[in-house]
């Protein structure tokens, strides 16, 4: 097991073996983090990232098999508060669309209606220069005036945070969280950013930017 930990460069793992519907082995190996000495046990929680998609799809398939919903059911028929970037898409968005990449549903999207007008405008950082946040196709679009390649659509993530996906192929693994600070009226006044991927090049120091709205 230590060889596996070394090969995958992880601090610890939990292993379960199931045979004929019964757990025949469950045990933790290694540490929860390299910063502390707490050992992993059979009940330690791990982030499983996109593996959760398989569980979600399987759970929905079971509901379809039981006749409790159909793949073509509209999402709003089951979750009335669900909202997309325009009313037509919201009304026709179905269960299958939740599981595919054909809808422009971004990370965390669908959590509620977003008034994009509260975020549009021109922002400026003393070092990075000016940035335009505009409305495009019912969503938001990020464009740097000084660095034209830093441009792309923004998908709603949650709260006042969006995900900017750069259109330039030269910015692979450089997509970023765009976090807005609002005033008492709900109008965005400030932007902070953070790279999403741990593989992001250190030169994309988004975390150092402090973009302020220009009047």
């Amino acid at each position: 097991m230590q060889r596996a930990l070394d090969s995958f460069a992880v601090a610890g793992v939990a292993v379960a073996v199931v045979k004929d519907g019964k757990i025949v082995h469950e045990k933790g190996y290694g540490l929860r983090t390299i910063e502390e000495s707490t050992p992993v046990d059979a009940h330690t929680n791990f982030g499983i990232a996109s593996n959760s998609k398989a569980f979600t799809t399987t759970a929905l398939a079971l509901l379809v098999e039981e006749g409790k919903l159909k793949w073509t059911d509209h999402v709003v028929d089951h979750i009335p508060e669900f909202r997309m970037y325009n009313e037509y898409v919201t009304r026709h968005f179905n269960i299958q669309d939740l599981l595919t990449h054909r809808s422009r549903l971004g990370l965390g999207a669908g959590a509620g209606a977003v008034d994009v007008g509260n975020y549009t405008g021109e922002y400026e950082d003393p070092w990075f220069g000016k940035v335009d946040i505009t409305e495009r196709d019912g969503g938001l679009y990020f464009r740097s005036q000084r660095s034209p390649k830093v441009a792309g659509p923004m998908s709603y993530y949650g709260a006042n945070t969006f995900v900017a996906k750069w259109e330039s192929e030269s910015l692979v693994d450089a997509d970023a969280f765009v976090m807005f600070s609002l005033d008492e009226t709900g109008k965005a006044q400030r932007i902070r950013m953070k790279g999403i991927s741990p593989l992001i090049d250190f030169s994309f120091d988004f975390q150092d930017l402090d973009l302020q709205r220009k009047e």
Side-chain angles (χ1 to χ4, degrees), residues 45-85:
N45 291 324
F46 289 89
I48 62 173
S50 288
N51 287 319
S52 61
K53 296 174 183 176
F55 289 101
T56 301
T57 304
T58 300
L60 287 170
L62 290 171
L63 293 175
V64 171
E65 190 174 72
E66 294 169 2
K68 295 180 179 179
L69 56 79
K70 297 177 181 178
W71 292 117
T72 53
D73 283 356
H74 295 143
V75 176
V76 290
D77 292 338
H78 297 277
I79 309 175
E81 65 272 22
F82 180 84
R83 293 292 182 274
M84 282 295 290
Y85 45 85

Side-chain angles (χ1 to χ4, degrees), residues 119-138:
Y119 303 93
T120 56
E122 185 179 70
Y123 300 78
E124 185 174 16
D125 174 82
W127 173 81
F128 190 69
K130 295 179 180 179
V131 164
D132 295 313
I133 304 296
T134 56
E135 183 175 352
R136 182 179 295 190
D137 298 326

Side-chain angles (χ1 to χ4, degrees), residues 13-119:
V13 298
V15 177
V17 179
V18 180
K19 182 180 180 181
D20 299 327
K22 295 181 180 180
I23 298 174
V24 297
H25 175 81
E26 56 177 341
K27 185 178 179 180
Y29 300 86
L31 305 175
R32 295 188 182 188
T33 71
I34 59 175
E35 288 85 14
E36 58 184 69
S37 58
T38 306
V40 172
D41 60 31
H43 304 289
T44 298
N45 291 324
F46 289 89
I48 62 173
S50 288
N51 287 319
S52 61
K53 296 174 183 176
F55 289 101
T56 301
T57 304
T58 300
L60 287 170
L62 290 171
L63 293 175
V64 171
E65 190 174 72
E66 294 169 2
K68 295 180 179 179
L69 56 79
K70 297 177 181 178
W71 292 117
T72 53
D73 283 356
H74 295 143
V75 176
V76 290
D77 292 338
H78 297 277
I79 309 175
E81 65 272 22
F82 180 84
R83 293 292 182 274
M84 282 295 290
Y85 45 85
N86 68 46
E87 286 302 314
Y88 178 86
V89 176
T90 296
R91 192 166 59 251
H92 292 87
F93 201 88
N94 65 35
I95 302 297
Q96 287 183 109
D97 294 326
L98 289 172
L99 307 173
T100 59
H101 294 279
R102 63 188 185 193
S103 60
R104 288 188 62 224
L105 178 63
L107 292 171
V114 176
D115 185 354
V116 295
N118 286 330
Y119 303 93

Side-chain angles (χ1 to χ4, degrees), residues 107-115 118-119 140 155-163 178-182 186:
L107 292 171
V114 176
D115 185 354
N118 286 330
Y119 303 93
L140 292 174
S155 300
Y156 181 68
Y157 182 79
N160 298 310
T161 300
F162 294 75
V163 170
V178 181
M179 301 162 284
F180 291 87
S181 296
L182 313 184

